[in-house]
Amino acid sequence: MECIFTAREKIYAKKMSEDSTKDNTSHPNNKEGDEDVSELLKNEDDVTFESLGVTEVLCQTCAELGWKTPSKIQQEAIPVALKGNDVIGLAETGSGKTGAFCLPILQALLDKPQRLFALVLTPTRELAFQIEEQFKALGSAIGIKTSVVVGGVDMMGQAIILAKKPHVIVATPGRLVDHLEKTKGFTLRSLKYLVLDEADRILNMDFESELDKILKVIPRERNTFLFSATMTGKVKKLQRAALSKPVKCAVNSKYHTVDKLLQYFLFIPAKDKDCYLTAVINELAGNAMIVFCSTCANAQRTALMLRNLGISAVPLHGQMSQPKRLGALNKFKSATRSILVATDVASRGLDIPHVDVVINLDVPTRSKDYIHRVGRTARAGRFGKAITFVTQYDVELYQRIEELIGKKLPAYEMQHDEVKVLQERVCEAQRFARTEMKEQQNAKKEKRKGRDEISDSEETAAFGAKQSKLFVKHGKGKRRRKH
Amino acid sequence: MKRSASASKKKHEPTSKKFVSETCASELTREDELVDDDLSLSSESDNEETEHLDSTNCGLSATDVVGGFKSQMLDQHRLEDLERKYENIVSFSWSQLHTLRCMGRTDGNNSQYEKHFSTIKVLDEVDCCKRAIKEYSLPQVLATNLEERKNDAKSEKSSSFLTPLQLELFSAMSSYSDIHFPHIDVIENMKRIQTVYCLHLLRHVIKSRSVVLKNNSRLAKISPKMRELATRRDQGFVRPKVLVLLPFRETALQVISIILSLLKKGTKFEVSHKKRFKDEFKEQPSEDREEDEELARKLKTKPEDYQVLFQGNTDEHFQIGIALHGSSVRLYSPFYSSDIIVASPLALRKTIGEKGEAHYEHDFLSSVEILILDLSDVYLMQNWDHILHIKKHMHLTPKDPHDVDFSRVYNWALDGHSKHYCQTIMLSRVVSPQIYSLLTKHCFNHRGLIMIKQINESGSICRIPNQLPQIFHKLSDLKKLSDVSEKRFQFFISHILKAVKTNKSTHMMICIPQYYDFVRVRNHMRREMKSGSGPKFVFICEYSDTKTVGKARRSFFTGRAPILLYTERYHFYHRPFIRGIRHIVFYDLPTYPHFYSELCNMIHHVKTDSAISSVSISAIYSSYDSDKLAAVVGDPRCRELLTSKKDVHMFVTGKTS
């Protein structure tokens, strides 16, 4: 592994030098750039999917998908998994985890075709859909049937899909237990593979009891893959309960961000945050960006403000309904909107290959979240940029992050006087955004009041109060959060 | 005269000709009995009469028809629309059912029909009962009961239990194609045909049930883990497999009795809720006994087919689930645990409900594999919308699982293809465009459709024994179907009503089948009457109460009101004998062809020798009415009427003096 690592570092350095000469704003998603990298990799590195033991059919599909070389976690996990061992994968996000368990499962399925073969458990609905897509893409050549079992969808329709006995089920634990209990004729007694993706998060989301129930009804003779970004105590407990003689595949035991990620910080006064955001977006125009905010309200407001400035931004946060969330994500994925303004809902697991820049508008309170946030970019061998806005109030938080990742980040270069020019227009946009927010809130309130009288309106009032406080306190475009 | 008759005989197979003339003769005598007592026609005179009609027909063809016409003109006309959907059509000629027209919905090969129907040869002297048991592998219960029935039948010295017609129909049904049989006769063959479809549906239910039970025992034997892998898909989402739609409680009583008699199995046989069933479905006596007797006496005076159809309990609102368990049968079982649902369209529609209503339930219709519509012409008189509503709610994906074992549900049901696996058996007394459209637009059986057509050479017009001139007016220049009602109305006003005004004719009945047409004509005439330009008139429709009907009939008989507007639906439900008719105008041809002759025969009272000019019958038809026209005047004459260049044709029935 060591030699590969060094090889990669070399390429990284080469790419860096190329990058600096290139125009910074050019879209790194273009194919030529990609091929350059893979060419380089090929020369330096002779590890291929074939050499890992993946069969020809799947290798071909990988090639068609543009997967030229396996990522680090894939290199480690696939040979172990193909031998039939249980795997614990501790890997950084965006490192090709999904492929690491997809390929061994598909290969085992090819050897011994069987319905209801594998179950993948993930914490969120978005992730479930994403993993299913991966399975479908990789299994397209062998005619694999997959289905997603998540909440928020009609039970009967899902029961029908499950009755058709797909090969792979990707599910969130809650709804799967629902089906195991209520849907007659659906059992997982013949299951051969279980994957626990983002296990730490599954456990954090209080899916423990559901997980226990599922583990009880599936056979003991099975292969289990457990993937987690962190190795918490709970995960260790789960590992003891669910896995037998696992092989640990840790790419990095300490928290590390991906090598190809360029991280910067930008130290600015809190009142000029929006101005700088606009300036940065302007400067990096043409790239796909995710802007992370700490609250739903702030995400919504920022998205509205950017829209008022004529920048196509789309919000994604927990206050949105499931279809809207999916819709927003799809808009961003399909590149009809180039900027996603999100809360930490989107910080984990989501694989959107073309994210070029991550901007932390608010410094994350939990330092681990930083890793996840910046993990959205520089995925699958691409290059990415992360810029963290640090204000006078966030210095301590920021230092903690630097400690965690073990790096001192360089400052992001900006022409400060150019930013000032934008101030007037940004102020105006902020004002518009605020009024729009208020209108939306009022509309929501009335709609809810109409539906069910007391319980919900209280909730909204509480939410509204919280927000209005935020605005009263930081009027005139100043907006910050104390930690 | 004789030559023409024999020529037409040559065209068709001798057997078919025999069948037609036989039924015709029997119907004629029946008709005569009810029309008048002093007119008694022997079968000989009946023959004479047909021949006479043939002669008029001959005259027509000599003058009007230019060039020859294709032998199957009529059928082609109708099938043009069908062919768009059904790419391949094959015809079979059978001894009892006559023409079987099989239409495949799949690719261009008809091998499925040829394979199925080549096994059945023309049957005459074969023991049909034995054959049915042998060739269609009837379940044991049905076979023994059938044999027993046959023995009973022999002891009673009636004809053998399964007639060749029944066997042929059974064979067609067991091909699981959609079937359209429009030649039910309530007196002749209704009960026999009910027996055939009961046999078919019971065979289906028992067989599929036995498959499920066999699989149950097989699955119980193997280990749970293997059970997971073993796929035995043998059921739909819900249990009801067969839906039988019937018009009246009395018919339901008959059909369920047949089902029970076929399932009878020694002393062990149990039927739960039998008493409740008998109580609810038999005739409900009213409080006044005299009133009952009065009604019974009245029924006796009605035509025979009416007596058969409207005897007993004529309630149109009923539904009942039937569950088969091994040796017992459970009546009134809840829908979700019954195999067969017997219901009236009205009741079923109420159970389904409307979208948006609090009660909206269609899951129990999601897995129907055989749909039987018996006497579907009666639904045309009741409310056809109910049928469409039911059909629209069949084979939808259920909203709730209803405790179904999903690992056993058919793959095609999961994929939402149930509608392609449902056999529709459509039995009716008449052909009608509504029925056709239901079969072609709302049925999706992948095995295609079999339409049965018996040759009708004479038509109901031959059942008019009196000398009556009958004028048929054709609506010409029709571009599309939606023009017809407007053209018809204009023609009625400009030709017929105008003539009425100038001739000052009295005792004229205007018979209008459709209620909407009736309302239009009535409103028009009312306007004219009020303005003083039109004649006085009375009307009888299905919504008139007894008092107004009595009043209208009296003033029509006395001549105070020269014109009577009359709807077909009223006639269907009451079949009165209206006195004092001298002229009849058929605004549109009646759905039931025998109403034509029945109404014409009401004219009889006028003295024949002097009255030839004072009686008249006129009918309006268009090229879209080919089915109705064929039923009234017979197939060959219909062909001439439709193809001839002239718009007015006259027939004279009765003896030439």
Side-chain angles (χ1 to χ4, degrees):
Chain A
M1 282 299 120
E2 195 53 40
C3 74
I4 297 159
F5 197 73
T6 49
R8 275 169 176 274
E9 273 185 337
K10 274 182 213 163
I11 305 154
Y12 178 59
K14 265 189 188 174
K15 178 71 187 169
M16 279 295 291
S17 59
E18 274 174 31
D19 227 35
S20 57
T21 55
K22 266 187 186 175
D23 186 5
N24 217 9
T25 52
S26 77
H27 206 291
N29 206 10
N30 74 42
K31 274 192 176 166
E32 278 177 38
D34 267 9
E35 267 165 29
D36 283 348
V37 185
S38 48
E39 280 297 310
L40 280 167
L41 282 170
K42 225 177 199 173
N43 298 337
E44 302 275 342
D45 182 355
D46 54 352
V47 178
T48 57
F49 284 109
E50 270 168 57
S51 69
L52 292 177
V54 180
T55 54
E56 214 181 311
V57 192
L58 292 173
C59 284
Q60 266 177 15
T61 334
C62 287
E64 277 162 26
L65 289 173
W67 294 16
K68 298 258 159 79
T69 43
S71 69
K72 272 187 265 174
I73 182 71
Q74 285 167 0
Q75 288 174 17
E76 291 221 17
I78 289 175
V80 181
L82 285 177
K83 272 180 208 154
N85 290 320
D86 283 6
V87 176
I88 295 180
L90 288 178
E92 52 203 46
T93 45
S95 55
K97 260 189 310 188
T98 317
F101 61 78
C102 267
L103 289 168
I105 288 175
L106 288 175
Q107 190 153 338
L109 187 61
L110 269 176
D111 283 345
K112 210 178 168 192
Q114 182 207 316
R115 300 245 156 191
L116 295 176
F117 188 72
L119 169 69
V120 182
L121 290 176
T122 67
T124 64
R125 300 169 192 182
E126 282 90 348
L127 266 173
F129 283 110
Q130 200 177 286
I131 292 171
E132 194 217 8
E133 266 168 41
Q134 288 262 10
F135 263 109
K136 266 189 189 158
L138 281 172
S140 57
I142 57 173
I144 193 178
K145 296 269 184 305
T146 59
S147 62
V148 177
V149 178
V150 294
V153 192
D154 168 40
M155 278 281 278
M156 187 64 195
Q158 275 180 0
I160 289 173
I161 292 167
L162 287 177
K164 289 182 198 166
K165 296 197 178 175
H167 299 106
V168 177
I169 299 171
V170 186
T172 50
R175 180 52 76 95
L176 188 77
V177 168
D178 257 14
H179 277 293
L180 283 168
E181 282 170 356
K182 285 178 196 157
T183 305
K184 214 175 149 191
F186 169 59
T187 55
L188 292 169
R189 275 188 289 249
S190 63
L191 199 76
K192 291 281 184 297
Y193 278 83
L194 173 70
V195 179
L196 299 157
D197 190 30
E198 303 255 358
D200 53 337
R201 199 139 170 246
I202 294 179
L203 294 169
N204 276 345
M205 287 172 84
D206 284 334
F207 277 135
E208 248 177 315
S209 61
E210 280 89 348
L211 213 54
D212 283 343
K213 278 179 197 165
I214 293 168
L215 288 173
K216 263 179 208 159
V217 296
I218 57 178
R220 280 177 182 283
E221 310 84 54
R222 57 153 202 270
N223 291 57
T224 311
F225 301 152
L226 186 145
F227 285 90
S228 179
T230 55
M231 198 68 194
T232 60
K234 275 182 184 173
V235 176
K236 275 191 182 134
K237 217 174 117 194
L238 177 68
Q239 171 206 327
R240 281 196 294 276
L243 279 71
S244 63
K245 293 179 199 162
V247 178
K248 203 165 182 178
C249 300
V251 174
N252 277 315
S253 57
K254 220 175 171 256
Y255 291 110
H256 264 292
T257 45
V258 187
D259 314 333
K260 288 182 190 171
L261 176 69
L262 307 175
Q263 301 172 79
Y264 303 97
F265 78 96
L266 188 58
F267 190 66
I268 46 161
K271 68 177 173 67
D272 292 338
K273 249 188 186 175
D274 281 356
C275 262
Y276 274 93
L277 176 66
T278 319
V280 169
I281 288 173
N282 266 340
E283 199 182 304
L284 301 174
N287 289 317
M289 292 180 228
I290 302 184
V291 178
F292 279 105
C293 304
S294 51
T295 63
C296 297
N298 195 22
Q300 183 75 17
R301 192 200 60 86
T302 310
L304 287 172
M305 186 206 73
L306 290 175
R307 267 193 220 170
N308 279 327
L309 287 165
I311 299 161
S312 65
V314 60
L316 176 77
H317 54 75
Q319 294 275 330
M320 289 160 73
S321 64
Q322 184 62 26
K324 269 192 181 170
R325 275 160 76 169
L326 270 180
L329 201 59
N330 281 337
K331 266 183 203 162
F332 183 65
K333 266 189 182 175
S334 60
T336 46
R337 296 278 193 283
S338 62
I339 293 166
L340 183 74
V341 186
T343 57
D344 279 324
V345 173
S347 73
R348 285 209 194 191
L350 292 190
D351 181 19
I352 308 154
H354 69 267
V355 178
D356 310 310
V357 181
V358 166
I359 298 172
N360 286 316
L361 190 61
D362 299 323
V363 178
T365 9
R366 279 175 299 178
S367 313
K368 276 182 197 172
D369 279 344
Y370 176 83
I371 316 248
H372 289 297
R373 282 186 181 185
V374 298
R376 295 314 93 213
T377 182
R379 292 176 80 81
R382 288 172 197 281
F383 284 79
K385 226 177 239 178
I387 302 164
T388 308
F389 285 32
V390 186
T391 67
Q392 63 268 41
Y393 308 103
D394 307 322
V395 178
E396 199 194 325
L397 276 172
Y398 176 68
Q399 280 173 339
R400 255 191 252 158
I401 291 168
E402 280 196 331
E403 201 181 316
L404 183 78
I405 57 175
K407 268 188 206 168
K408 284 269 176 204
L409 301 185
Y412 190 72
E413 296 291 321
M414 286 218 80
Q415 300 290 330
H416 292 278
D417 42 337
E418 274 178 24
V419 177
K420 294 279 178 214
V421 179
L422 289 166
Q423 193 148 25
E424 207 172 312
R425 285 198 55 210
V426 172
C427 269
E428 204 181 337
Q430 279 173 337
R431 219 173 35 247
F432 276 126
R434 268 203 303 281
T435 45
E436 266 178 70
M437 282 281 285
K438 263 182 198 156
E439 275 167 27
Q440 279 180 4
Q441 258 172 46
N442 288 339
K444 227 181 203 175
K445 237 187 227 173
E446 264 160 41
K447 211 172 149 192
R448 279 210 187 171
K449 255 183 194 168
R451 224 187 293 152
D452 34 27
E453 301 286 2
I454 312 149
S455 63
D456 271 326
S457 62
E458 273 176 358
E459 212 173 273
T460 333
F463 179 66
K466 210 164 93 192
Q467 279 191 338
S468 58
K469 212 166 94 192
L470 194 90
F471 288 123
V472 170
K473 205 171 169 186
H474 316 291
K476 289 188 183 175
K478 277 180 262 168
R479 166 199 44 68
R480 67 202 146 140
R481 274 174 58 84
K482 282 192 178 177
H483 298 292
Chain B
M1 274 204 274
K2 293 236 162 175
R3 244 190 301 135
S4 76
S6 61
S8 66
K9 262 183 196 171
K10 266 182 196 168
K11 263 184 206 166
H12 307 285
E13 286 173 43
T15 43
S16 67
K17 173 70 187 173
K18 198 175 151 201
F19 181 80
V20 170
S21 60
E22 261 173 23
T23 50
C24 176
S26 63
E27 271 166 16
L28 239 170
T29 41
R30 218 166 46 240
E31 207 74 32
D32 295 334
E33 276 164 23
L34 60 99
V35 169
D36 205 339
D37 297 335
D38 54 23
L39 185 114
S40 56
L41 276 171
S42 68
S43 60
E44 278 174 20
S45 67
D46 147 42
N47 280 341
E48 267 178 46
E49 180 203 313
T50 5
E51 274 169 18
H52 168 64
L53 239 160
D54 275 340
S55 75
T56 54
N57 175 12
C58 260
L60 267 174
S61 64
T63 51
D64 292 345
V65 179
V66 183
F69 49 79
K70 283 175 191 164
S71 62
Q72 290 275 313
M73 198 66 196
L74 181 75
D75 292 333
Q76 273 180 359
H77 204 82
R78 195 179 60 225
L79 287 172
E80 262 174 11
D81 288 20
L82 291 180
E83 267 167 357
R84 256 168 246 141
K85 206 161 180 195
Y86 300 97
E87 287 130 20
N88 46 324
I89 297 175
V90 265
S91 288
F92 293 90
S93 186
W94 278 20
S95 63
Q96 299 300 316
L97 293 172
H98 303 284
T99 318
L100 283 176
R101 201 164 276 275
C102 305
M103 300 175 210
R105 234 174 257 267
T106 46
D107 51 349
N109 80 67
N110 284 307
S111 55
Q112 52 158 337
Y113 298 115
E114 268 142 30
K115 210 165 117 196
H116 184 84
F117 291 122
S118 59
T119 54
I120 304 283
K121 294 276 148 53
V122 179
L123 300 156
D124 280 322
E125 299 300 316
V126 197
D127 188 343
C128 298
C129 208
K130 248 183 201 157
R131 235 181 126 152
I133 293 166
K134 205 174 123 199
E135 291 199 8
Y136 299 104
S137 56
L138 283 178
Q140 193 56 43
V141 201
L142 299 180
T144 46
N145 278 318
L146 210 58
E147 289 280 359
E148 255 174 50
R149 275 193 144 214
K150 191 184 134 199
N151 292 338
D152 290 351
K154 263 186 187 165
S155 61
E156 282 166 30
K157 286 187 181 170
S158 59
S159 56
S160 67
F161 168 61
L162 271 188
T163 58
L165 175 84
Q166 279 177 308
L167 184 61
E168 282 181 11
L169 206 56
F170 185 65
S171 137
M173 281 177 186
S174 60
S175 76
Y176 282 97
S177 312
D178 286 350
I179 290 175
H180 180 212
F181 182 73
H183 304 287
I184 295 261
D185 189 316
V186 282
I187 303 146
E188 284 265 308
N189 59 14
M190 185 171 76
K191 279 212 165 167
R192 288 182 188 284
I193 285 161
Q194 280 171 351
T195 315
V196 173
Y197 70 67
C198 285
L199 208 59
H200 173 60
L201 71 87
L202 285 176
R203 172 170 160 253
H204 181 73
V205 169
I206 291 172
K207 283 207 157 183
S208 42
R209 187 112 197 104
S210 74
V211 169
V212 171
L213 291 176
K214 211 182 271 173
N215 284 339
N216 280 350
S217 62
R218 262 185 210 156
L219 287 175
K221 274 178 203 158
I222 56 178
S223 69
K225 203 170 174 189
M226 289 302 289
R227 205 180 297 158
E228 183 76 12
L229 299 174
T231 43
R232 303 239 177 264
R233 297 192 177 275
D234 49 18
Q235 47 194 270
F237 282 118
V238 288
R239 197 165 152 192
K241 277 194 186 56
V242 179
L243 174 63
V244 185
L245 292 179
L246 296 167
F248 305 113
R249 267 182 197 263
E250 175 65 25
T251 34
L253 179 70
Q254 283 168 13
V255 169
I256 293 172
S257 309
I258 293 172
I259 289 176
L260 293 181
S261 76
L262 282 171
L263 285 173
K264 195 167 54 191
K265 198 201 239 169
T267 47
K268 275 196 293 175
F269 184 64
E270 269 177 40
V271 180
S272 49
H273 300 296
K274 197 171 185 180
K275 185 154 186 309
R276 180 183 162 197
F277 168 66
K278 286 255 157 85
D279 285 346
E280 282 186 16
F281 281 77
K282 72 169 192 221
E283 199 169 355
Q284 303 292 321
S286 63
E287 284 161 27
D288 192 358
R289 237 186 105 203
E290 276 179 32
E291 203 178 287
D292 282 348
E293 279 169 12
E294 171 74 18
L295 275 173
R297 204 176 50 74
K298 245 187 182 170
L299 191 67
K300 286 249 168 69
T301 63
K302 304 282 179 184
E304 206 176 333
D305 66 314
Y306 182 87
Q307 282 183 34
V308 176
L309 204 60
F310 285 87
Q311 71 187 351
N313 193 340
T314 54
D315 184 18
E316 291 174 8
H317 192 285
F318 62 90
Q319 53 184 5
I320 180 169
I322 303 172
L324 268 56
H325 301 279
S327 63
S328 67
V329 173
R330 198 166 155 222
L331 299 174
Y332 292 103
S333 61
F335 276 0
Y336 288 106
S337 55
S338 45
D339 297 296
I340 305 164
I341 296 175
V342 177
S344 70
L346 175 70
L348 209 59
R349 194 212 157 118
K350 278 193 166 176
T351 314
I352 292 169
E354 196 77 51
K355 199 172 187 174
E357 275 177 23
H359 182 81
Y360 182 56
E361 165 94 88
H362 55 68
D363 291 359
F364 59 91
L365 293 175
S366 65
S367 317
V368 172
E369 284 160 35
I370 299 178
L371 166 67
I372 295 168
L373 294 114
D374 196 1
L375 288 169
S376 33
D377 52 292
V378 180
Y379 310 134
L380 290 173
M381 291 294 140
Q382 290 179 345
N383 193 342
W384 191 250
D385 276 352
H386 293 340
I387 301 283
L388 295 178
H389 189 82
I390 291 165
K391 195 73 209 177
K392 259 175 215 151
H393 287 89
M394 282 176 78
H395 307 125
L396 300 175
T397 310
K399 288 180 290 184
D400 295 315
H402 296 289
D403 211 26
V404 65
D405 184 346
F406 279 94
S407 63
R408 300 283 290 274
V409 177
Y410 294 120
N411 270 326
W412 41 261
L414 295 173
D415 290 337
H417 294 320
S418 304
K419 63 179 181 183
H420 299 293
Y421 288 81
C422 174
Q423 178 187 28
T424 308
I425 297 174
M426 179 76 80
L427 306 167
S428 67
R429 289 190 286 169
V430 294
V431 283
S432 123
Q434 278 104 321
I435 293 175
Y436 281 138
S437 92
L438 188 82
L439 281 169
T440 52
K441 300 240 162 65
H442 299 273
C443 296
F444 305 94
N445 191 347
H446 76 104
R447 299 178 200 86
L449 166 68
I450 295 175
M451 291 179 119
I452 293 157
K453 187 174 163 54
Q454 291 177 354
I455 295 122
N456 175 9
E457 279 200 64
S458 48
S460 63
I461 201 169
C462 293
R463 288 179 233 154
I464 303 168
N466 299 327
Q467 197 169 3
L468 281 175
Q470 293 157 41
I471 302 161
F472 282 74
H473 301 275
K474 184 180 176 184
L475 297 173
S476 48
D477 297 333
L478 289 173
K479 294 267 162 19
K480 52 183 189 289
L481 186 64
S482 50
D483 290 345
V484 175
S485 69
E486 180 62 33
K487 273 263 160 108
R488 198 186 290 278
F489 183 65
Q490 295 305 338
F491 181 87
F492 175 76
I493 288 169
S494 59
H495 287 73
I496 291 169
L497 209 57
K498 211 174 162 192
V500 170
K501 277 185 219 159
T502 49
N503 296 346
K504 296 244 175 335
S505 26
T506 55
H507 297 284
M508 174 177 270
M509 175 197 256
I510 297 168
C511 183
I512 305 170
Q514 293 297 317
Y515 184 72
Y516 295 118
D517 289 334
F518 164 78
V519 171
R520 194 176 187 186
V521 172
R522 184 193 65 191
N523 291 354
H524 176 82
M525 289 184 68
R526 199 181 261 166
R527 264 198 304 276
E528 282 203 335
M529 191 171 77
K530 275 188 184 156
S531 65
S533 59
K536 222 182 152 219
F537 76 101
V538 285
F539 63 85
I540 297 174
C541 72
E542 55 265 35
Y543 298 108
S544 335
D545 52 43
T546 10
K547 219 170 154 190
T548 47
V549 169
K551 234 177 176 177
R553 283 175 71 174
R554 234 170 296 134
S555 55
F556 178 68
F557 177 62
T558 53
R560 255 179 298 154
I563 291 175
L564 171 69
L565 295 187
Y566 193 64
T567 60
E568 188 181 8
R569 193 169 280 145
Y570 181 82
H571 194 69
F572 175 82
Y573 276 108
H574 300 279
R575 294 291 270 280
F577 187 85
I578 297 195
R579 291 178 302 160
I581 305 172
R582 278 184 213 158
H583 308 275
I584 301 179
V585 173
F586 286 96
Y587 185 81
D588 192 353
L589 289 168
T591 316
Y592 290 97
H594 62 280
F595 286 0
Y596 180 85
S597 52
E598 198 171 305
L599 289 172
C600 289
N601 287 336
M602 287 179 190
I603 298 182
H604 173 255
H605 286 280
V606 182
K607 277 195 174 177
T608 31
D609 34 305
S610 64
I612 185 85
S613 61
S614 68
V615 295
S616 77
I617 290 160
S618 31
I620 309 170
Y621 71 95
S622 72
S623 51
Y624 292 102
D625 299 330
S626 55
D627 287 325
K628 285 194 252 179
L629 187 65
V632 170
V633 299
D635 284 340
R637 281 186 287 271
C638 167
R639 239 172 270 149
E640 282 172 36
L641 288 185
L642 287 176
T643 48
S644 99
K645 281 185 177 166
K646 289 196 174 170
D647 286 346
V648 183
H649 300 264
M650 189 165 96
F651 294 101
V652 180
T653 49
K655 287 174 207 163
T656 39
S657 49

